[in-house]
Amino acid sequence: MNEANMRLLQPLEGEPWEIEPYCQRGGYDVWARCVKGMSLDDIVAELTRAGLRGRGGAGFPTGLKWDKVRNHRVTERYFVCNAGEHEPGTFKDRYLITHFPHQLIEGMLIAALTVQAKASYIYLNAEFEEARASFQKALQQARDKGYLGKNILETGLDLDIEIFDGHGSYVAGEETAMLESMQGRPAMPKQKPPFYPTEFGLHNKPTLVNNVETLSHVPHILRNGVEWFTQVGTERCPGTMLFSLSGAVNRPGVYELPLGTPLRHLIEDCGGGVVDGRAIKAVFPGGPSFSMVGPDQLDLAMDFDTLKKAGTGLGSAGVIVVDDATCMVAKTLALSTFFKEESCGQCPPCRIGTDKLEELVNKIESGEGTTQDLDMMMQICGFVKGTGFCTLVTGASVLVQNSLRLFRDEFEAHIVQHRCPLASSVSHVESKQETQKCRG
Ligand SMILES: Cc1cc2nc3c(=O)[nH]c(=O)nc-3n(C[C@H](O)[C@H](O)[C@H](O)COP(=O)(O)O)c2cc1C
């Protein structure tokens, strides 16, 4: 890892929640300028010029989103930082909150003030106890220094951040579902259009929702400038991104790299290659909802546009490496089980589709499947893909379609041999645990 590229993961002295080491690096300077009258329109313009794109999965332009909420005709507005993070293979947000809480707090304060939020929250999974403890202590230190709370830096400004306990479901990380659950309703996504949070968010008012990593970039961009931020990355995807690397690699963990870095560099140089010197069978470059790539595609650049063009996606950069000793049917089953369990059940194609897909993959894995089952799986995928108020069922069908397209011979071997040919290698339970573990 090139130290010059470390922006969000730059080591600081002392405990992560201690405010002084962060302040010594210029931390909270931008916030102090904002409070003392820096033009908030300039902030939006700088983020737009920097080309910062959301790190929560969709890569949406951050400046554009802030502008929409800031200039909304409705003046009662809200701000929420999304720290849901329940997708298998993604663990960079809790790592950031635990180890670098102050840059996030500064980014959140700037966001809240820019959109003139009436109230500001962080939606944090209750199960991330370490992250929560670190964040709470950091918040208190910032409060003690006068950076948040009442009469901030004696300017008369009041602004605070409240922690909202998330209940740890995958769908609750989808922004409209998250806002529903924050209002005491079931965490179910809403139909878009028209229910975009920038229009109809908390209490049906315009709401800015941003990911932890997106917000952590904000103070650095405003402090160091657009030219500094765009020195690395690609033209359309500037800056660095945090990659959560897991699966069959020697050094799983969170790595900060310029967007556009080849997948091979992450796996071989950062991750130390595949365990036990084995070969790569497939890689999920953007978590289980996006298509896998093969070992012949390791030179693909990891950015939103290149991976989309290659028929897959970057998502929130949860990179999962699968080695050649893994049964792809078992792997597909583990992830299909995840999708089935995490479907909120609201949309019938998702509720029924994820259930049926898991049942069929399970049938194949246990040696009881037929070739008709393979046809039926493909048919179901065709029916349910693109339906639903969120992308869960699309992810579930892309997984099965893609696995069948790349590894049909393995599915057929299960049918012919009436058992899993690799039954002793990876149980699907182990595989599921592996992808959900935080390896920060
Ligand atoms: C099923 C599902 C789960 C999601 N989970 C998360 C999550 O845990 N954290 C997150 O920031 N975004 C998540 N998203 C994306 C959010 O809906 C939203 O796009 C994001 O929080 C916006 O922030 P950004 O613009 O800074 O990326 C999820 C989306 C879907 C469809």
Side-chain angles (χ1 to χ4, degrees):
M1 160 95 227
N2 181 351
E3 299 251 324
N5 293 330
M6 285 231 225
R7 290 155 174 213
L8 301 185
L9 302 188
Q10 243 191 52
L12 289 165
E13 298 286 310
E15 298 291 354
W17 52 85
E18 286 172 12
I19 199 166
E20 286 311 329
Y22 182 67
C23 291
Q24 279 158 19
R25 289 264 183 88
Y28 290 106
D29 279 10
V30 179
W31 174 234
R33 277 193 278 140
C34 290
V35 172
K36 290 178 177 161
M38 177 178 174
S39 155
L40 300 174
D41 287 326
D42 284 355
I43 288 178
V44 177
E46 279 288 278
L47 292 182
T48 305
R49 234 165 47 81
L52 176 65
R53 293 173 67 170
R55 307 303 201 227
F60 191 82
T62 306
L64 182 60
K65 200 191 270 187
W66 286 35
D67 185 55
K68 273 184 189 213
V69 181
R70 173 164 172 73
N71 292 308
H72 204 285
R73 63 190 185 289
V74 175
T75 52
E76 182 182 334
R77 307 167 194 151
Y78 294 90
F79 163 66
V80 184
C81 168
N82 187 347
E85 200 172 57
H86 197 67
E87 183 171 77
T90 305
F91 38 84
K92 47 99 183 175
D93 287 341
R94 74 200 79 163
Y95 186 82
L96 273 180
I97 303 169
T98 308
H99 299 286
F100 301 91
H102 282 293
Q103 60 192 0
L104 172 61
I105 293 172
E106 188 175 10
M108 288 179 65
L109 291 169
I110 297 167
L113 184 66
T114 303
V115 300
Q116 303 280 295
K118 185 178 171 193
S120 304
Y121 305 91
I122 178 167
Y123 177 92
L124 184 56
N125 257 345
E127 70 206 57
F128 300 163
E129 286 169 16
E130 197 187 354
R132 190 195 161 98
S134 183
F135 189 80
Q136 253 178 337
K137 283 187 236 174
L139 261 190
Q140 191 52 49
Q141 294 223 347
R143 198 172 280 121
D144 293 345
K145 275 277 239 192
Y147 289 135
L148 78 152
K150 294 237 172 286
N151 192 20
I152 295 172
L153 301 179
E154 296 177 2
T155 57
L157 173 72
D158 298 342
L159 203 164
D160 218 322
I161 291 171
E162 201 177 308
I163 301 177
F164 186 94
D165 282 329
H167 61 74
S169 95
Y170 173 49
V171 168
E174 193 278 340
E175 54 192 1
T176 59
M178 176 187 75
L179 297 174
E180 285 294 283
S181 82
M182 289 178 73
Q183 293 169 92
R185 297 192 282 266
M188 292 180 171
K190 292 176 90 174
Q191 189 167 26
K192 297 169 282 290
F195 295 108
Y196 296 108
T198 48
E199 292 291 324
F200 305 101
L202 263 190
H203 314 300
N204 242 2
K205 304 291 181 198
T207 302
L208 176 68
V209 177
N210 273 129
N211 168 260
V212 169
E213 184 185 343
T214 314
L215 292 161
S216 299
H217 276 291
V218 168
H220 297 288
I221 294 173
L222 298 174
R223 187 176 309 123
N224 299 306
V226 170
E227 281 65 34
W228 168 85
F229 181 69
T230 55
Q231 260 166 20
V232 300
T234 70
E235 200 183 330
R236 284 179 40 83
C237 303
T240 59
M241 185 144 175
L242 299 192
F243 293 86
S244 310
L245 178 65
S246 70
V249 285
N250 286 308
R251 288 192 298 270
V254 178
Y255 295 96
E256 181 173 16
L257 297 170
L259 276 158
T261 299
L263 191 48
R264 184 185 300 283
H265 175 72
L266 175 69
I267 296 171
E268 292 180 1
D269 301 329
C270 302
V274 181
V275 285
D276 300 331
R278 290 205 284 262
I280 290 176
K281 190 181 255 189
V283 181
F284 292 90
S289 299
F290 290 99
S291 292
M292 291 170 262
V293 298
D296 55 331
Q297 290 173 290
L298 297 189
D299 293 316
L300 271 175
M302 295 184 294
D303 62 71
F304 295 108
D305 303 323
T306 307
L307 289 178
K308 190 172 173 193
K309 234 187 256 166
T312 176
L314 183 59
S316 53
V319 179
I320 306 168
V321 177
V322 183
D323 68 16
D324 62 355
T326 304
C327 167
M328 287 315 293
V329 181
K331 190 84 196 163
T332 307
L333 176 58
L335 295 170
S336 296
T337 305
F338 169 80
F339 284 124
K340 177 191 133 174
E341 286 174 355
E342 294 294 331
S343 169
C344 74
Q346 173 183 213
C347 309
C350 181
R351 186 177 65 241
I352 300 165
T354 53
D355 187 58
K356 196 71 196 157
L357 284 174
E358 195 239 13
E359 183 190 313
L360 289 167
V361 182
N362 195 16
K363 206 173 152 194
I364 308 280
E365 171 61 8
S366 44
E368 291 155 20
T370 63
T371 38
Q372 285 79 13
D373 293 327
L374 301 185
D375 296 340
M376 192 184 291
M377 275 155 63
M378 287 306 265
Q379 255 180 8
I380 294 171
C381 289
F383 286 143
V384 299
K385 200 169 162 184
T387 65
F389 291 169
C390 79
T391 54
L392 187 140
V393 71
T394 299
S397 54
V398 164
L399 167 76
V400 171
Q401 272 178 330
N402 179 235
S403 191
L404 255 173
R405 188 171 55 80
L406 295 177
F407 305 106
R408 194 176 174 98
D409 53 337
E410 288 193 34
F411 283 79
E412 287 173 348
H414 283 70
I415 294 169
V416 173
Q417 296 180 30
H418 297 292
R419 66 181 181 89
C420 173
L422 290 171
S424 59
S425 65
V426 180
S427 82
H428 80 271
V429 175
E430 278 169 3
S431 171
K432 180 175 178 183
Q433 284 166 348
E434 170 194 88
T435 51
Q436 285 190 322
K437 220 183 264 174
C438 171
R439 307 272 192 106

